[in-house]
Amino acid sequence: MPSTPVRLALIGCGGMARIHLNAYGSLKQKGIQTFEITAVCDPALDRAEQFAALAAEWGDRPTVYADLEALLRDRPPDAVDVTTPHHLHHTTAIACLEAGAHVLIEKPLGVTIRAARRMIEAAQRTGRTLATAEQVRRWIGPRATRWALQEAGLIGAPRLFFAQNSGGDRHAHPDERRSPLPFTWRQDKLTGGGGFIFDGGVHYADVLLYFFGDVETVYAFVGDVNAWEWPLPDGGTRRISVEDTCVAHLTFADGVVGTWTWTGAAPGRGINYTVYHGSHGSVYSEGIYPTHPELQWWNGEVVPYEELIRRFLASLGAEERECLFPAALFPDPASLSGDHGVELEVYDFLEAVRTGRPPELDGFAGLRAQAVVTAFFESHISGQPVRVADVLAGRVDAYQREIDAAWGLR
Ligand SMILES: NC(=O)c1ccc[n+]([C@@H]2O[C@H](COP(=O)([O-])OP(=O)(O)OC[C@H]3O[C@@H](n4cnc5c(N)ncnc54)[C@H](O)[C@@H]3O)[C@@H](O)[C@H]2O)c1
């Protein structure tokens, strides 16, 4: 186990990277001295400089780079934290792994299944850690939900789930047919890989896998229902080439069946909830994710959120509690609210690098969640239900072929 701090580089200094940087800063404030941020890298040098200045508030000032090649050539770090746009995930991660660095990479693992598989192969070839940055299951709400559904069996045998996140834009009149948001890499199929159901959907797919195990089949509609024009930086407009809506039906290997709707094209009354039913009751939460689960028995009796959390925490042995909520970070997990997941995620990665143990979510875990949402697109294109195992193995890839071709993955 190395006694010197892990030398860490941040690759990408955009929106999500800032949340990672704050999480590393919080670890330092809590006395975690197992790492140093030695480099930051972004072609937008002003952002990288800003990151270096922020990191210098709690450590040595990191070296600033505009490109990854120069960073890896100078002195490869022990580990990197990658938050680039999706189409750069695989080239960035593979270059870092081949330079000997361990990699934590934001979800979705790769822009396509092929990209993701190449990253996993590179990790296997180099013997380095590839961890998927996935914070949602680490929140106390999803942890307690998993306990209620599986370990404690509080709702009996799980049988059904429903998730609906539907709403419309409230800032522009629908007849304007123009998005209030600018067109970015996220709205382009080749750079984003897909819209929200790909980008954000992997979080919920991971939660479902965590609760119920493998998804067997998916049958989905995916489309750009708003059909808006999106503003370009030069003043022009462009249609997005990703979806704004998805309506999906899923079956799980353990027999659970459910539906999952996500849309930004449903003006009027929005609905946001997720619910899991078993033979004896349900666990319900408002929101996209089960952040505030509430148990209800078959006879209507309710176990409210606070009581459920209390019972969950009381059920944990000392070792498990330390693993889920390390005392050095969160001495009072019952009081947790808000986003503590990223801090847990980067801490898990640093500990994996430092001790040589696997991270909770490796590259394969990222691929598994990605295959579920990729199956939505593949099902829509084929007009048929698809087996997630076929998508994961690369046997079904009609939606992804254009992206693979664009990035030399075919
Ligand atoms: N876990 C979450 O909740 C969550 C939330 C938002 C985004 N994300 C993920 O984080 C990643 C980044 O998303 P974002 O919202 O921060 O995007 P962003 O556009 O805000 O930031 C991306 C940054 O990468 C930089 N970049 C571009 N090319 C680069 C290169 N070759 N080398 C280094 N940096 C480069 C850009 O200049 C930009 O600063 C994506 O994978 C996204 O899915 C995760």
Side-chain angles (χ1 to χ4, degrees), residues 93-104:
I94 292 168
C96 293
L97 290 163
E98 285 178 345
H102 303 280
V103 173
L104 171 67

Side-chain angles (χ1 to χ4, degrees), residues 222-237:
V222 172
D224 173 20
V225 173
N226 273 324
W228 278 333
E229 294 294 326
W230 288 55
L232 292 168
D234 67 6
T237 59

Side-chain angles (χ1 to χ4, degrees), residues 10-20 40-48 51 65-68 82-89 91-92 105-109 133-136 139 184-186 192 198-200 202-203 289 339 342 345:
L10 305 187
I11 317 296
C13 301
M16 193 58 197
R18 183 65 182 267
I19 294 171
H20 284 223
V40 291
C41 173
D42 196 306
L45 264 177
D46 54 330
R47 280 181 224 160
F51 268 50
Y65 293 90
D67 73 284
L68 179 64
V82 180
T83 52
T84 61
H86 301 160
H87 66 299
L88 301 172
H89 278 196
T91 46
T92 307
I105 188 144
E106 262 300 341
K107 48 42 60 181
L109 184 63
E134 175 51 71
Q135 80 272 34
V136 171
W139 295 338
T184 70
W185 62 267
R186 278 199 158 83
F198 183 67
D199 188 330
V202 285
H203 290 301
Y289 308 115
D339 186 2
V342 173
E345 149 197 304

Side-chain angles (χ1 to χ4, degrees), residues 327-350:
L329 309 190
F330 301 112
D332 179 18
S335 67
L336 283 175
S337 65
D339 186 2
H340 49 280
V342 173
E343 198 171 324
L344 285 167
E345 149 197 304
V346 299
Y347 182 73
D348 180 34
F349 174 62
L350 290 169

